[in-house]
Amino acid sequence: MKKRILVCMSFASTAFVACGGSSTEAVPKEELGVCSAVNEGAVVWLETENKGYICSMGEWKVENQAGIVNSAGVVKKGSVKDSRDGKTYSTVTFDGVTWFAQNLNYAIANTDSVDSKCYGADEANCKKYGRLYSRAAANLPNICPENFTVIDAGMWNYLTSNYMGQVLKSTTGWTYWNDAINPTNSKGLSLDPTGYCTSYDNCSAIEYEGRFWAGDANYVAAYYDQNSLAVLDGATAKDHYAIRCASFNAGTCNGAIGAGSVASVLGNTYVCDGGKWTNANHYGEGKVYIFQNIGNPAIKYGSLTDPRDGNVYRTVVIGGKTWMAENLRYAGVDGRRECMSDIDVNCLIGGALYYGGEKPCPAGWHVPSKEEFEALLAAAGPAGATALRSTQGWDENGTDALGFTALPAGSISDGYGFLGGAVFMTSSEVLEWDDDNVEIIGQDYLFATIYSEIDFYKANLVAGSVRCVMD
C-alpha cells in the first residue's frame, strides 16, 4: 500500500488551529520532511500507520486524527498514469486543484519549432527532472495527459500570492549561490531545480533554478533560488523550460465536448477551447470573452452543421426567415478572419469578424442584406433591439425574446478592436460618387449595428460578425 499524506497548515501564526492535540512523541524528520518555523503547525497524515504528526517547535510529534481530514489546509497525495506512454506521475491536491508533483516527461515528435529535450542532451536529467519544452510545444492543447492542462500564469500567481516559496520547493537537489532558507516542501508540490535551455541551445542553472512554462503564450513562471516564485515575461519561442500540469473540477473539456464552457478556478476565469481550459486573462494579450452563446431556453432552436469544418450552429426562425442564432466561426479556405485581441478562443466564444465583401456563409445560406436586417427589427416589434440582444455581456442586457442572441462581439477597424456592441456585415453595397455625380470614386459595404436599435453605416475596412440566413 502506498503512503498517502494529508497536510493541513496555517502560516498566519505559529499556533495550529483545529487539528487536535499533540503528544510529545517525536519521529525522525527524514520520515516526514523538514519541520521548522516555516511550516510550524503543518500536519501530515500517514495512512499506512493510521497516525498523524504535527510540526511543533522543530520536531514532528504524534497528532490525533480529529479535525485533520476536514481542515482547509489538507493536502492529498496521489498519482496519475499517462496513457500515451505509461509514465506515472505523483500528484498533490489542495485548494481544489490537483497538481503534478513532478515535471512532465512526455517525449513529443520534434519539429523545428515544436520540440522537447533533456537538459544537456542527457537522458538521466529527463528521468530526474523531466523534459524541457519549446514554447510552441507548451501551447499544444494535448501536451498534458487527458483532463490536465499546463499550469498557467493565473495559477502561478495564485501560488505566489498564497504560499511562501520554500513550502513549494523540493527538499533535495538544490544548490545555492547565496544564503537561502531550506525548503520544507510542505505543500508537496516539489518544484525542482530543472535548469533551462536558451534559444541558442545553451543550457544552464540546473540545481540552481527552475523555469516553468505558464500556459499563456509569451509568459513563463521562473522559480529562483532566492526562495521566491515570480511570473515573468520575455521568453523566446525557442527557449526550453519545464512543464507542470494541473487538473481542476470544471467539467469536461475534450475536443468539441465542453467547447465554449466557462469556469471559475482559484479566482480566474477559464474557457474550454481546443480541448484545453484557457485562462480568460491572456497576460499581455488582452482578454478572452467571458460571455457564452447561451440563447433563450424558451425558444425551440434548429441546427446547422457547416460541412466545411463541422461547426454546429443553432438556428431560429424570425419573421419567416431562418437565421443562424450564433455568430459564424468559419476560418475560410485561406484562414482570412479576425479574432478579437488576436486570441483564437475569442472566435470560438464570440464568433469571427469578417471584412465587408466576403462571402463566408456555407452553401444554401447567405450574408443578410440591409432589407433582411430591417425585417428582423420589424419582427421584434415595439421592444426593438432589446428583444435581439443577449441577456449577458452588454452594459444594458437585452431580453433575447426572439432567440437571436446578439452578442456584443464588437468590430475591428484599421487594426483596432472595439467591444461594446454588435456589428454585423451585410451583403448590401453602397456606391460613392464625386461631388458632380460624374464618376464612382469608391464602393463600401453596409454594416448593421445593434445597440438600442439597428442602425447602418458604410465602410470597407471594418470587420464585423456574420449571421447567415437560409436562402
Side-chain angles (χ1 to χ4, degrees):
M1 181 182 294
K2 294 184 178 180
K3 179 186 295 184
R4 185 178 70 173
I5 300 178
L6 303 183
V7 181
C8 62
M9 58 205 315
S10 170
F11 295 112
S13 68
T14 56
F16 185 76
V17 180
C19 277
S22 61
S23 77
T24 57
E25 181 182 348
V27 295
K29 68 178 182 180
E30 57 266 20
E31 294 289 328
L32 300 165
V34 177
C35 170
S36 69
V38 174
N39 62 329
E40 176 77 14
V43 174
V44 177
W45 182 256
L46 302 185
E47 191 174 77
T48 53
E49 299 180 12
N50 195 32
K51 187 182 296 184
Y53 298 89
I54 185 170
C55 174
S56 175
M57 300 181 68
E59 293 184 332
W60 289 103
K61 300 177 181 180
V62 173
E63 169 71 10
N64 64 44
Q65 188 178 3
I68 294 177
V69 174
N70 293 323
S71 173
V74 162
V75 173
K76 298 180 181 180
K77 295 194 73 174
S79 63
V80 61
K81 186 175 183 179
D82 191 338
S83 61
R84 300 169 298 183
D85 58 12
K87 290 187 176 70
T88 298
Y89 297 90
S90 298
T91 62
V92 288
T93 300
F94 59 88
D95 298 349
V97 174
T98 297
W99 318 78
F100 265 33
Q102 296 173 266
N103 296 339
L104 187 66
N105 189 22
Y106 175 62
I108 63 175
N110 287 349
T111 66
D112 289 341
S113 61
V114 183
D115 69 302
S116 67
K117 63 178 67 176
C118 299
Y119 183 98
D122 187 345
E123 287 291 336
N125 286 327
C126 273
K127 184 176 181 180
K128 184 176 182 180
Y129 292 122
R131 304 184 74 85
L132 301 176
Y133 296 83
S134 66
R135 188 174 70 195
N139 285 335
L140 292 174
N142 58 348
I143 189 64
C144 288
E146 187 175 2
N147 295 324
F148 281 79
T149 190
V150 178
I151 296 176
D152 59 36
M155 289 184 176
W156 285 118
N157 277 324
Y158 176 86
L159 291 172
T160 64
S161 300
N162 289 274
Y163 300 106
M164 293 178 287
Q166 54 265 40
V167 308
L168 303 175
K169 293 169 65 174
S170 57
T171 58
T172 60
W174 289 88
T175 301
Y176 298 100
W177 286 301
N178 54 22
D179 294 334
I181 301 174
N182 290 327
T184 63
N185 196 28
S186 300
K187 300 304 288 185
L189 202 60
S190 302
L191 296 181
D192 296 313
T194 60
Y196 61 94
C197 299
T198 69
S199 56
Y200 301 102
D201 211 25
N202 295 319
C203 297
S204 62
I206 195 169
E207 297 183 358
Y208 291 91
E209 179 182 325
R211 293 193 180 188
F212 305 86
W213 286 114
D216 301 282
N218 298 315
Y219 277 67
V220 300
Y223 198 92
Y224 292 106
D225 66 297
Q226 291 93 342
N227 303 303
S228 62
L229 178 67
V231 179
L232 306 175
D233 61 0
T236 70
K238 292 187 177 181
D239 285 343
H240 288 70
Y241 302 118
I243 286 178
R244 282 297 179 98
C245 303
S247 178
F248 43 84
N249 185 22
T252 302
C253 179
N254 182 10
I257 301 176
S261 298
V262 176
S264 179
V265 180
L266 302 180
N268 297 291
T269 299
Y270 290 84
V271 180
C272 178
D273 172 43
K276 69 175 183 179
W277 288 102
T278 300
N279 197 311
N281 189 349
H282 274 228
Y283 294 80
E285 298 179 25
K287 293 186 177 181
V288 172
Y289 295 134
I290 60 172
F291 48 79
Q292 296 175 266
N293 286 326
I294 58 173
N296 183 339
I299 297 293
K300 185 176 181 180
Y301 289 98
S303 178
L304 162 67
T305 299
D306 191 333
R308 301 168 300 180
D309 56 13
N311 267 310
V312 180
Y313 302 91
R314 294 189 307 273
T315 62
V316 62
V317 178
I318 302 174
K321 291 278 188 177
T322 300
W323 290 77
M324 283 174 47
E326 303 174 51
N327 293 343
L328 187 67
R329 300 185 287 272
Y330 179 58
V333 176
D334 59 356
R336 180 173 167 77
R337 70 174 183 180
E338 299 285 349
C339 300
M340 188 60 71
S341 301
D342 289 327
I343 300 175
D344 286 344
V345 69
N346 279 338
C347 279
L348 172 69
I349 304 301
L353 303 175
Y354 304 86
Y355 288 94
E358 296 182 349
K359 297 181 179 180
C361 293
W365 296 73
H366 63 270
V367 175
S369 66
K370 176 177 182 288
E371 290 73 23
E372 285 172 314
F373 270 106
E374 289 173 332
L376 178 70
L377 181 61
T386 300
L388 302 175
R389 294 197 303 268
S390 62
T391 58
Q392 59 176 283
W394 296 80
D395 290 338
E396 294 184 12
N397 290 323
T399 63
D400 198 18
L402 301 183
F404 186 77
T405 318
L407 297 173
S411 62
I412 294 178
S413 176
D414 296 325
Y416 296 95
F418 304 95
L419 289 172
V423 178
F424 296 97
M425 185 174 77
T426 83
S427 60
S428 299
E429 303 174 42
V430 178
L431 303 182
E432 292 187 353
W433 300 77
D434 66 10
D435 292 340
D436 297 323
N437 290 329
V438 174
E439 61 179 334
I440 297 174
I441 60 172
Q443 185 175 26
D444 290 336
Y445 288 85
L446 280 181
F447 284 79
T449 63
I450 293 181
Y451 294 94
S452 58
E453 296 295 336
I454 291 183
D455 295 312
F456 298 91
Y457 73 96
K458 56 186 179 181
N460 58 11
L461 292 176
V462 172
S465 302
V466 166
R467 289 295 182 94
C468 301
V469 179
M470 184 181 292
D471 292 347

